[in-house]
Amino acid sequence: MRLQKVLAQAGVASRRAAEDLIAAGRVEVDGSIVVEQGLRVDPENAVIRVDGIRVVVKKDLVHLVLNKPRGWQSTMSDDLGRPCVGDIVSERVAAGQRLFHVGRLDADTEGLLLLTNDGELAHRLMHPSFEVPKTYLATVKGVLARGVGKQLKAGIELEDGPASVDEFALLEVHEGQSLVRLVLHEGRKHIVRRLLDAVGHPVIRLVRTNIGPVALGDQRPGTLRVLGRNEVGGLYQAVKL
Ligand code: URA
């Protein structure tokens, strides 16, 4: 398929505008800038970038955001019959999509869970070496003393080794509880709960609001949304794909 048509089908621009992008040297196919028009590419295998950002042109790739409700398991099926993410995507799975959830949230944790059928993307997003930042809002017991943020940034010794946060902010204090925002780039089990426990502020409610360039926004619990082209491009960029 011709490159300008592939770009148009991926929603980058009209065919005419895609030709302008190509002529301007802004389009890269498999690592090389292409300036001539009409290059034939295979959308199933070509790696295409516009201004250095990956444009996913493979038709069957899916990237979804779920706002996982509290009390739901992150798994695609549950032996004990508890509500799980697989229930929410059951129609897609029945239609043959092989979706992976990117990491897990505790059953008690709400918020942003990415689902995709791109195994390499999922793998890299879960790998700490790519350092994709994840943001959480936590309501904790107690009124935070000064210095707790500093302590968390400096690192805390947990039973499976040290852990730290990249950013920390106290947002609100209300009736003996504090609302804090934390950014971390790792995903060990219960990591946020364990860190906050360790500084004496057990978690009452935990919500993940962002993973790299993707934000939960006002998406309602239990709903799925297809990621936008820029969000998908940003995710691939974040893990160097
Ligand atoms: N940290 C936790 O403690 N729980 C989650 O679900 C995610 C991060």
Side-chain angles (χ1 to χ4, degrees), residues 76-109:
M76 297 307 269
S77 65
D78 187 75
D79 291 345
L80 303 175
R82 295 170 295 185
C84 69
V85 166
D87 301 341
I88 299 174
V89 295
S90 58
E91 281 181 22
R92 288 175 178 268
V93 173
Q97 273 179 15
R98 265 194 84 230
L99 288 170
F100 310 98
H101 47 91
V102 177
R104 287 176 187 224
L105 290 174
D106 303 334
D108 273 350
T109 304

Side-chain angles (χ1 to χ4, degrees), residues 102-175:
V102 177
R104 287 176 187 224
L105 290 174
D106 303 334
D108 273 350
T109 304
E110 305 152 58
L112 201 167
L113 191 67
L114 292 174
L115 300 164
T116 180
N117 56 358
D118 185 334
E120 181 62 19
L121 176 69
H123 170 74
R124 290 193 181 204
L125 284 169
M126 283 186 275
H127 206 283
S129 68
F130 289 101
E131 306 207 334
V132 180
K134 298 167 196 81
T135 306
Y136 297 87
L137 287 179
T139 306
V140 299
K141 275 195 192 158
V143 177
L144 258 73
R146 267 176 192 277
V148 169
K150 219 178 201 174
Q151 210 183 337
L152 288 166
K153 283 190 202 169
I156 305 270
E157 199 55 48
L158 299 175
E159 58 187 23
D160 53 356
S164 61
V165 306
D166 302 326
E167 292 173 36
F168 183 87
L170 171 62
L171 303 180
E172 212 177 281
V173 177
H174 185 66
E175 294 185 350

